[in-house]
Amino acid sequence: MEIGIDSFASAMYGSTTLSSADAMEQLLDRIVRADEAGLHVFGIGEHHKKEFLDSAPAVILSAAAARTKRIRLNSAVKVLSTDDPVRVYQRFATLDLISKGRAELVVGRGSAIEAFPLFGFDLDDYDTLFAEKLDMLLQVRDQEYITWSGKFRPAMNNQPVYPRALQKKLPIWLGVGGTPASFVRAGSLGLPLMVAVIGGETARFRPLIDLYREAGRRAGFSPDQLKVGLHSPGYVAETYERAIADYYPGYAELWTKLGKERGWPPVTRSQFNSLIAPEGVLVVGGPEQVAEKLARHSEALGGVERFTFQMDNAGLSHQQLLQSIELIGTKVIPLIKKS
């Protein structure tokens, strides 16, 4: 199982707000630490809000590419519906050249909708926009010269797209939430699947992942082509008790704030306890508990090839995040390999 980190480039650490420049410098330092510690992947999301600095993920990843050697760098998740597939490919092909073949894309429709009015798109076209742009992106990735037409973008007639990625086939994962049609779409296209699970029990997604694998089988793809990744909130400290003490206050504060925007109830300690329980979604604890939970999640879902922690959503300090990254690389990953 590959292990990595996803970040929204937050400038908020509990009650402390950094300058944007300082927050960006610290984020790049964490990516470098992840590379040095042996993590496999680091992803930057996409939002267009004051508290996040990730509106241009390819730019951040390119800066990280120049300072790292081995770690793979991806979008987590690129809101493809509100961007141009040609430009998306060009940015990440350029990142692939800078990183010498370490770029990946995770694309999705986006759970946050602020990009739609910002770039002049209609939310009523939420799914049709994504389906059309994904079709075009895959063609641009697979063919140097493109002939294509659709509803939301001017047609292309045997036009080339440059630069080309260093990797022969730039990896494109499909990021999904809980919509069955999205799982079927990924399987039908033979795309690796990145499942964002942020609440409840992870095992409840097994029927949807089975849908994905069955759709892929029917489309003629082999099981080894149908990779499953899992993205969930998490944090690793030296001990279970330390991890809970560090993580809970900021998690409760920030997710209660987010709940006000999305209609969720406030976070309670009993709810949090259910989420850190053995079957719960939060991957929080000491290295041993985290490694055991990841193995349990993988078994429940029929095999997981990649797991990414979302750690900068709980008011943790830069130093706490650096220490957690170090523990993931030096203790969690070896425990997973051993198991």
Side-chain angles (χ1 to χ4, degrees):
M1 185 191 299
E2 295 179 334
I3 305 295
I5 305 288
D6 288 335
S7 174
F8 297 161
S10 174
M12 303 290 292
Y13 297 103
S15 60
T16 302
T17 302
L18 300 177
S19 72
S20 296
D22 288 343
M24 189 65 73
E25 180 180 11
Q26 291 185 0
L27 172 61
L28 292 171
D29 287 344
R30 292 197 294 274
I31 301 175
V32 171
R33 178 65 62 86
D35 183 51
E36 294 170 344
L39 275 68
H40 302 100
V41 61
F42 205 107
I44 301 294
E46 180 186 345
H47 297 81
H48 302 271
K49 296 182 177 181
K50 182 178 181 179
E51 60 266 35
F52 301 123
L53 303 174
D54 60 348
S55 65
V59 178
I60 299 173
L61 294 169
S62 292
R67 295 179 56 185
T68 56
K69 297 178 180 179
R70 293 172 296 275
I71 197 164
R72 298 192 67 79
L73 302 165
N74 71 21
S75 58
V77 163
K78 172 63 194 166
V79 184
L80 184 60
S81 306
T82 59
D83 211 333
D84 182 81
V86 172
R87 294 297 288 144
V88 170
Y89 177 82
Q90 289 176 322
R91 294 184 201 117
F92 280 83
T94 302
L95 170 63
D96 203 45
L97 296 173
I98 295 170
S99 66
K100 294 182 172 58
R102 293 184 283 129
E104 298 183 355
L105 269 162
V106 181
V107 299
R109 297 179 297 180
S111 60
I113 61 173
E114 68 273 3
F116 285 81
L118 182 64
F119 297 113
F121 291 98
D122 191 336
L123 267 175
D124 290 339
D125 298 323
Y126 184 72
D127 188 65
T128 52
L129 269 167
F130 180 72
E132 178 176 299
K133 294 191 175 191
L134 178 60
D135 174 70
M136 186 180 193
L137 178 63
L138 294 175
Q139 288 194 41
V140 171
R141 183 210 39 195
D142 295 341
Q143 303 169 26
E144 185 173 340
Y145 286 80
I146 308 301
T147 296
W148 180 93
S149 64
K151 178 180 177 182
F152 299 103
R153 187 197 189 281
M156 297 180 69
N157 184 21
N158 198 37
Q159 292 173 262
V161 176
Y162 301 116
R164 306 306 298 175
L166 181 62
Q167 297 175 85
K168 185 175 180 180
K169 198 165 187 174
L170 185 70
I172 297 177
W173 296 64
L174 193 61
V176 300
T179 306
S182 296
F183 287 80
V184 172
R185 173 187 284 144
S188 299
L189 294 171
L191 296 176
L193 184 76
M194 180 55 70
V195 188
V197 184
I198 61 174
E201 295 186 352
T202 300
R204 67 190 171 93
F205 279 80
R206 177 62 183 267
L208 294 171
I209 290 174
D210 288 344
L211 271 179
Y212 162 70
R213 292 181 171 129
E214 176 60 19
R217 185 192 67 80
R218 292 189 177 191
F221 297 101
S222 62
D224 63 297
Q225 292 176 285
L226 302 170
K227 295 181 180 180
V228 174
L230 181 63
H231 159 104
S232 294
Y235 173 65
V236 185
E238 284 285 358
T239 66
Y240 178 81
E241 293 76 17
R242 182 73 264 162
I244 303 307
D246 288 349
Y247 192 81
Y248 175 70
Y251 175 87
E253 178 184 348
L254 293 178
W255 283 83
T256 295
K257 178 182 177 182
L258 182 61
K260 291 180 180 179
E261 299 175 5
R262 300 193 180 187
W264 303 335
V267 174
T268 64
R269 185 57 191 255
S270 62
Q271 179 192 40
F272 178 78
N273 288 342
S274 70
L275 293 174
I276 61 172
E279 307 302 327
V281 66
L282 295 184
V283 185
V284 178
E288 294 79 11
Q289 291 89 10
V290 165
E292 289 171 3
K293 192 163 197 177
L294 290 179
R296 191 180 304 115
H297 283 347
S298 180
E299 182 179 0
L301 298 178
V304 170
E305 282 77 20
R306 176 179 290 182
F307 178 81
T308 56
F309 289 85
Q310 167 54 262
M311 290 200 301
D312 60 359
N313 58 357
L316 297 163
S317 71
H318 176 56
Q319 192 59 40
Q320 286 172 317
L321 293 171
L322 286 174
Q323 291 172 348
S324 189
I325 289 168
E326 191 71 26
L327 286 168
I328 291 169
T330 60
K331 295 191 176 182
V332 175
I333 290 177
L335 285 169
I336 290 171
K337 286 181 178 179
K338 185 177 179 180
S339 68

